[in-house]
Amino acid sequence: MQRYSVQFRNTILQKMIGPEKRKAADLSEEFGVSAATIYGWKSKLKDGTLSVMENESTSHERIPSEKLMLLLESKNICEAEMGEWLRRNGLHSEHLGLWEQELRALVDQKGGDKSREMKEIRKELKKRDKELNRKDKALAEMSTIIALQKKTSLLFQEAEDE
């Protein structure tokens, strides 16, 4: 079960019930949240068990995918509307720069981990290939020895028969 921050949920709900009046299917596709989840939030909002402004989250509580979504959305906002967009999302302009650095570091770290993992896999594969080659040589040697033993026993049998 994925847990979404209150701010993320509120952003989606505001786009759905606010002046934009966007459909849950569109928001689901845009934000990667199932339409059923969005409808659940909306029904809780209508029956009073959920408040759109409760427990506003800080920028540190947002999950990386949420930060990425907001960063991408901010790239499409013109300078004149940026201040209003930042306020609506509970952000400051420095958050965007920090998040961009944070996400780049996260991607670099994941890439480094994958590179290290690939080196270990290659090393293990090389070790297994070496072991396989050793076993192939031993098997070939054993088959040669067995063939020679058979020929030798046939030669000695022929010699005893004479």
Side-chain angles (χ1 to χ4, degrees):
M1 180 178 135
Q2 185 170 1
R3 183 98 172 132
Y4 300 102
S5 73
V6 174
Q7 181 64 36
F8 183 67
R9 182 195 65 211
N10 290 347
T11 300
I12 293 173
L13 285 172
Q14 286 173 352
K15 287 179 186 267
M16 187 175 190
I17 62 175
E20 294 178 45
K21 300 272 189 209
R22 296 188 47 201
K23 294 181 181 178
D26 296 337
L27 294 169
S28 171
E29 189 175 310
E30 181 181 339
F31 290 99
V33 177
S34 74
T37 301
I38 296 172
Y39 283 123
W41 291 340
K42 185 178 177 185
S43 68
K44 285 182 181 179
L45 185 64
K46 282 185 179 180
D47 68 17
T49 59
L50 183 70
S51 170
V52 176
M53 296 315 235
E54 71 180 26
N55 299 327
E56 290 293 319
S57 65
T58 65
S59 68
H60 299 294
E61 294 172 349
R62 295 178 194 251
I63 57 175
S65 61
E66 185 180 346
K67 290 178 181 180
L68 178 62
M69 292 291 237
L70 287 168
L71 271 173
L72 293 174
E73 189 178 329
S74 74
K75 300 295 182 190
N76 296 327
I77 307 293
C78 67
E79 282 295 317
E81 297 173 359
M82 183 58 80
E84 194 272 325
W85 181 85
L86 288 169
R87 283 187 297 281
R88 188 174 64 234
N89 288 292
L91 299 174
H92 295 280
S93 57
E94 58 268 5
H95 286 137
L96 300 175
L98 291 173
W99 288 355
E100 195 168 338
Q101 290 173 355
E102 181 182 322
L103 291 172
R104 277 198 180 120
L106 186 63
V107 168
D108 290 344
Q109 177 188 1
K110 295 281 185 189
D113 291 347
K114 296 288 183 195
S115 175
R116 224 174 294 116
E117 187 177 323
M118 286 298 291
K119 284 180 184 178
E120 290 174 17
I121 290 172
R122 285 188 183 118
K123 188 177 180 180
E124 181 67 27
L125 185 59
K126 190 174 181 179
K127 180 181 170 184
R128 288 183 183 189
D129 281 346
K130 191 175 178 179
E131 181 70 16
L132 185 60
N133 286 336
R134 185 189 66 77
K135 288 180 179 180
D136 282 345
K137 288 178 185 178
L139 183 61
E141 188 178 332
M142 282 303 283
S143 63
T144 303
I145 290 172
I146 291 171
L148 285 174
Q149 284 178 341
K150 285 182 181 179
K151 287 182 181 182
T152 307
S153 67
L154 287 175
L155 283 175
F156 285 125
Q157 279 182 350
E158 288 177 10
E160 289 177 4
D161 290 342
E162 291 177 4

